[in-house]
Amino acid sequence: MSHPTVTVPIREAIRYAQGRAERLGRTQQLEIGTDLFIRIGPGGRKFLLFSLDDEPQRSTAEAIAAALGLKNPTYGWHQGATLRSLTVIEEGAQNLPESGPAEADDGTL
């Protein structure tokens, strides 16, 4: 028997991913819209916003930063090999590690 469908507000999903990034020290990625993705870095105090076919809007990044409770975030751009990402980093979070403890294949630590 299937579980019933549950609608989760996007703010709740993003905050949940932020909590996992902080707790596990691992990057969390969510698809938050049609061709719009967020990667929340370890510690939960910085994120990348990107799309595969376009560039994300700064206003979207600002709204997400506010929802995540980031204080005095800085906004910038990262040019990767195939796409350009909008970076958002809370003041003082620049030196957080890019990866945390390894996870087993089943998702446990």
Side-chain angles (χ1 to χ4, degrees):
M1 183 170 181
S2 296
H3 295 288
T5 300
V6 176
T7 300
V8 178
I10 193 66
R11 287 177 188 254
E12 222 174 275
I14 292 171
R15 286 183 190 134
Y16 177 78
Q18 180 187 35
R20 279 184 53 91
E22 184 175 5
R23 189 173 63 256
L24 299 176
R26 292 187 52 88
T27 298
Q28 304 295 304
Q29 181 170 312
L30 294 170
E31 184 173 4
I32 58 174
T34 303
D35 191 36
L36 184 61
F37 302 85
I38 185 172
R39 295 186 99 187
I40 302 174
R45 310 317 300 168
K46 58 185 175 178
F47 65 87
L48 290 175
L49 193 62
F50 66 95
S51 96
L52 301 176
D53 293 327
D54 203 359
E55 289 185 352
Q57 299 296 311
R58 180 173 166 143
S59 60
T60 302
E62 290 170 348
I64 292 169
L68 294 178
L70 301 187
K71 294 174 180 58
N72 300 321
T74 58
Y75 300 86
W77 290 97
H78 171 74
Q79 181 62 55
T82 59
L83 56 91
R84 193 168 170 209
S85 303
L86 184 52
T87 62
V88 182
I89 302 173
E90 182 178 67
E91 185 176 56
Q94 295 84 346
N95 297 324
L96 287 175
E98 291 301 318
S99 62
E103 246 181 39
D105 290 337
D106 67 358
T108 62
L109 288 178

